[in-house]
Amino acid sequence: MIIKIGNKEYIGQCNALSYMFHKKIFKTSIFDDLVVLKECLLKKRSSEEFYNVLIKLIYTLIYTNSNVLYCFEEFKEEIMNETISSITIDEIINLYLESFFDNEALEELEKIDKKETTYEGQNTKNEVFPEHEFIVSCISFGLNIEALKELTYIDVVKMMITTRKREKENKKPRYRMATQEDWDRLAQS
């Protein structure tokens, strides 16, 4: 994706690794920032906050493409007085929505019981390190870094949900209900 800011062009990419990179760089979840962006668009937050989150998301796209980029503060300073066209903003938002949000996948994820994790003596349904949990899941699923560069986050989630459903359906019950014949055999022994 080509991102035009003022008279400069940057190349951005969005894939499953964008999820990790965003957390690594900004110490916030990409989902949290996308929610802030949504709230700004619904006018529940300021336009300055919208711009700050948008710049973070743009930086993540550029970083995902190259993995070599100067620090965020320098990037932000460089483009601070530049204009970002509404077309570019729309393309960026659509790219993130396609890569990170899917109603069917979200519904299926809600059905899956989150494992309980104890952290500082408290039970919580959230993973302590969700980004790393994602990578562990990807690795145990057999995906490598090259695959994550080609797939979106939502693609990976759908693959995992599908596989989990298939495994659950094919899993044989560990126990069966005892029949009268089983009880009779037990009584005779």
Side-chain angles (χ1 to χ4, degrees):
M1 159 182 219
I2 296 177
I3 303 167
K4 295 180 183 179
I5 302 176
N7 57 0
K8 290 189 176 183
E9 289 185 355
Y10 301 91
I11 299 174
Q13 181 180 6
C14 190
N15 57 38
L17 292 174
S18 302
Y19 175 69
M20 288 293 297
F21 294 150
H22 193 81
K23 180 71 173 190
K24 173 184 164 188
I25 298 165
F26 300 111
K27 311 294 185 249
T28 61
S29 167
I30 201 165
F31 292 106
D32 293 341
D33 280 343
L34 290 170
V35 167
V36 169
L37 201 65
K38 175 185 170 187
E39 289 174 354
C40 289
L41 289 171
L42 296 173
K43 305 293 185 210
K44 294 180 181 178
R45 296 198 180 197
S46 71
S47 59
E48 182 179 337
E49 194 171 10
F50 175 82
Y51 182 77
N52 288 332
V53 171
L54 181 66
I55 297 304
K56 287 168 52 177
L57 293 172
I58 290 171
Y59 186 84
T60 300
L61 292 175
I62 297 168
Y63 185 88
T64 299
N65 181 62
S66 66
N67 286 344
V68 180
L69 195 62
Y70 43 92
C71 82
F72 172 70
E73 294 304 323
E74 290 176 18
F75 174 75
K76 187 175 177 181
E77 186 72 31
E78 180 180 305
I79 65 167
M80 185 179 269
N81 297 322
E82 299 293 334
T83 304
I84 304 172
S85 75
S86 60
I87 293 170
T88 299
I89 293 170
D90 288 345
E91 288 175 352
I92 290 168
I93 291 172
N94 285 331
L95 180 61
Y96 273 107
L97 290 177
E98 290 170 4
S99 299
F100 286 95
F101 287 100
D102 180 87
N103 286 332
E104 288 179 75
L106 291 174
E107 288 173 12
E108 291 300 321
L109 282 174
E110 287 175 7
K111 293 177 188 175
I112 297 172
D113 291 332
K114 297 272 186 187
K115 69 177 185 178
E116 288 197 24
T117 307
T118 302
Y119 180 68
E120 293 181 0
Q122 297 178 348
N123 284 335
T124 175
K125 294 232 181 230
N126 298 324
E127 292 92 4
V128 176
F129 303 109
E131 295 78 22
H132 293 84
E133 184 76 23
F134 174 71
I135 291 295
V136 167
S137 297
C138 291
I139 291 168
S140 65
F141 189 70
L143 295 174
N144 59 23
I145 296 298
E146 292 306 313
L148 294 177
K149 288 179 182 178
E150 298 297 320
L151 299 168
T152 66
Y153 175 84
I154 244 0
D155 290 336
V156 173
V157 168
K158 284 182 175 181
M159 289 167 49
M160 289 179 181
I161 290 171
T162 302
T163 303
R164 179 184 164 96
K165 277 187 162 188
R166 191 176 309 127
E167 287 172 355
K168 200 172 186 180
E169 290 169 0
N170 293 337
K171 190 176 183 180
K172 294 181 181 177
R174 295 175 91 185
Y175 307 100
R176 65 176 177 82
M177 293 294 290
T179 64
Q180 186 59 46
E181 290 175 3
D182 294 327
W183 288 111
D184 292 342
R185 242 181 294 136
L186 182 63
Q188 291 175 358
S189 51

